[in-house]
Amino acid sequence: MTGARLDLLRKAAVFVASPLVLLGIWELCGRMGWVDIRFFPLPTRILGYLIWLFREDNLIVDILSSMRRIGLGLAVGFLPGVVLGLAMGLSSWARLILGPLVALTYPIPKIAILPLLLIIFGLGETSNVMVVAIGVFFLALINTYSGVSQIPQIHFDVAHVYRVRPWRRLTHIVLPAAFPGIFTGLKLAVGYGLILIVAAEMVAAGSGIGYRIWTSWETYVIIELYACLAVISGIGVLLSVGLEALERVLAHWKGA
Amino acid sequence: MIEVPSRVSVRDLAKVFQDGEARVEAFAQITLEARPGEFLCLVGPSGCGKTTLLRCLAGIETPSAGAIEHRLEPGAPGAEQAMVFQQHGLFPWLTVEANLHFVLRESPVPRQEHDAIVQRLLERVGLARFRRFYPYQLSGGMNQRVALVRAFCVQPQVLLMDEPFVFLDYQNRIVLQDLLLELWQEQRQTILFVTHNINEAIALGDRVLVMPGTAGPFAREISCPFGRPRDVVQLRTNPDYQRIVVEVTQLLRQEQEHSLREGRIG
């Protein structure tokens, strides 16, 4: 085995071992009675409960409905964000017009808009999807804009000299050149979507991971709270690993 | 000698950059003529506006005053112009051959000839094997060779070159200079080649124009009567070549001192 591969293997082992060691310490503390297991249930018990939730309590249905809302929110909010981000990156007029609007609305925590959405769209799927859509819209816009502004001038000079037509300039130069920025926006948007949907579901949904967390709190099933947090953490890791892999395939030309 | 109308004609060109109160004059009163098929080099002290002049000719910058006229040959098959930059400027998301096809598609060169042109030119510069490679997989010298091919593949009538070899090491610079002369010998377009490297300008050009350090018309025009094809390395033993290098160096030194006195260049 080569040194580089061994090194990679060692890093992977540490990556897995690090959280396991922490869980082990937690387990030990619980078993020795050093922490109150009413508030900090044993990790092995949480795992058992999690398996039971999947087997007997349809946890997968809640996971899927949360994921569906994130997906729909991305579908509705991301593309408009990219389009306006491109406009702001390419046109000083668009920057002038949209700049102050973005500066004023971006700092609002998007979850704070939820009550308003509930009034407009009613208590249901649309409100949940819209809160995600609004959140990811800003991340798409800001990261696309930043991606476009970082395009080296030489690409535009080449486009000019070789008479690249405006539409092709947009689709074949600006978009691929800004792609790393747009993809950063997507990675942030997925993470933010997860945060928003869990928060929204606590008050505005009858299903989903956030809804489950809220009902566990209401019924005081602390171990289910932990199981739900573990699920969210797992989803987050899977999505981020998946997106990293996708980025390596799509932006392989960066050569990193 | 028969009077041939010039291919590129520049009259009283000036460029001023205005940024609020600050007013920076890149160059003024530039007048030059480049004949069809001529290899014209422009040298000048740093900050004299060489690059800006070329960018005006390319249409990337708009001149503040004066006129540029391209008298193109009607019915010529290729593009009006092409440009090679200091950086290769290849699109990193496209392979070598895709970069070439991309500009060919925008050019008037007939579609059915594209494949053959790309193949032939890449072979010419020894990169046929690398046609599916991405820019990040190639060295700086190889990428600049691709950039050179990109300019020639659209068969431009006017080729603008802005210190294209400035970032290359000595060996690569010689290789690229040879390739440039070979490719030009086949197509014989008008080349305007900007450099601060006096040896390079004299070895490559038919004529060398020395740009003034301060705003004003060209300080001097020197012709390089060495015949073609040339060997850019062999040329160094030529006493005429050596004499001209010294002459141009002196001229540039005067210009540099002049502009320092005027306090124009940092």
Side-chain angles (χ1 to χ4, degrees), chain A residues 153-155 157-165 168-169 172-174 176-177 252-256, chain B residues 55 58-60 80-83 85 87 89-93 102-103 105-106 134 136 150-151 154:
Chain A
Q153 178 61 34
I154 181 103
H155 289 338
D157 292 348
V158 168
H160 186 100
V161 167
Y162 291 97
R163 304 270 189 270
V164 182
R165 287 176 295 270
R168 257 174 83 78
R169 207 177 286 202
H172 284 69
I173 297 176
V174 173
H252 61 95
W253 48 266
K254 287 201 316 185
Chain B
R55 289 171 71 81
I60 300 171
E80 290 173 15
Q81 60 178 11
M83 185 160 174
F85 302 84
Q87 297 146 324
L90 300 173
F91 297 120
W93 52 88
F102 184 76
V103 297
R105 244 190 89 152
E106 307 292 329
Y134 286 87
Y136 81 91
R150 173 170 69 180
V154 297

Side-chain angles (χ1 to χ4, degrees), chain A residues 81-101:
Chain A
V82 169
V83 170
L84 290 187
L86 285 173
M88 276 182 74
L90 294 173
S91 140
S92 54
W93 274 105
R95 266 198 298 285
L96 204 62
I97 295 164
L98 298 173
L101 300 179

Side-chain angles (χ1 to χ4, degrees), chain A residues 20-238:
Chain A
L20 282 180
V21 167
L22 189 70
L23 289 171
I25 295 170
W26 178 356
E27 180 86 22
L28 183 72
C29 292
R31 285 188 189 272
M32 302 302 284
W34 296 337
V35 296
D36 189 338
I37 58 166
R38 285 177 305 171
F39 302 131
F40 304 99
L42 297 176
T44 46
R45 287 226 30 231
I46 297 171
L47 182 65
Y49 194 84
L50 193 56
I51 292 167
W52 180 83
L53 281 178
F54 272 110
R55 282 215 181 130
E56 310 291 335
D57 207 28
N58 278 332
L59 181 60
I60 193 71
V61 173
D62 287 303
I63 293 174
L64 288 178
S65 67
S66 292
M67 299 310 291
R68 183 171 163 273
R69 288 169 190 142
I70 295 175
L72 287 172
L74 279 170
V76 173
F78 200 80
L79 193 64
V82 169
V83 170
L84 290 187
L86 285 173
M88 276 182 74
L90 294 173
S91 140
S92 54
W93 274 105
R95 266 198 298 285
L96 204 62
I97 295 164
L98 298 173
L101 300 179
V102 173
L104 284 169
T105 49
Y106 176 62
I108 299 172
K110 301 305 166 287
I111 198 68
I113 307 173
L114 183 63
L116 190 60
L117 293 174
L118 289 174
I119 292 168
I120 297 169
F121 297 109
L123 197 65
E125 285 302 291
T126 315
S127 301
N128 283 278
V129 168
M130 282 311 290
V131 79
V132 174
I134 292 169
V136 303
F137 166 81
F138 281 96
L139 290 170
L141 187 153
I142 286 163
N143 286 285
T144 304
Y145 170 45
S146 131
V148 174
S149 7
Q150 281 166 28
I151 298 176
Q153 178 61 34
I154 181 103
H155 289 338
F156 295 108
D157 292 348
V158 168
H160 186 100
V161 167
Y162 291 97
R163 304 270 189 270
V164 182
R165 287 176 295 270
W167 180 249
R168 257 174 83 78
R169 207 177 286 202
L170 179 68
T171 56
H172 284 69
I173 297 176
V174 173
L175 270 181
F179 177 80
I182 297 172
F183 206 86
T184 301
L186 182 64
K187 286 191 285 190
L188 294 171
V190 167
Y192 195 46
L194 198 57
I195 294 171
L196 282 173
I197 203 58
V198 169
E201 283 167 351
M202 286 189 187
V203 289
S207 66
I209 295 295
Y211 168 75
R212 256 197 196 263
I213 289 179
W214 200 252
T215 51
S216 313
W217 135 253
E218 282 179 332
T219 53
Y220 216 66
V221 188
I222 293 176
I223 194 164
E224 183 162 344
L225 284 175
Y226 277 99
C228 289
L229 295 183
V231 165
I232 293 171
S233 151
I235 292 172
V237 169
L238 283 181

Side-chain angles (χ1 to χ4, degrees), chain B residues 135-164:
Chain B
Y136 81 91
Q137 296 168 309
L138 304 179
S139 69
M142 289 158 105
N143 278 323
Q144 200 61 348
R145 264 188 269 172
V146 180
L148 199 63
V149 166
R150 173 170 69 180
F152 276 98
C153 76
V154 297
Q155 297 164 15
Q157 295 197 44
V158 176
L159 177 51
L160 306 168
M161 306 192 82
D162 180 19
E163 303 200 48

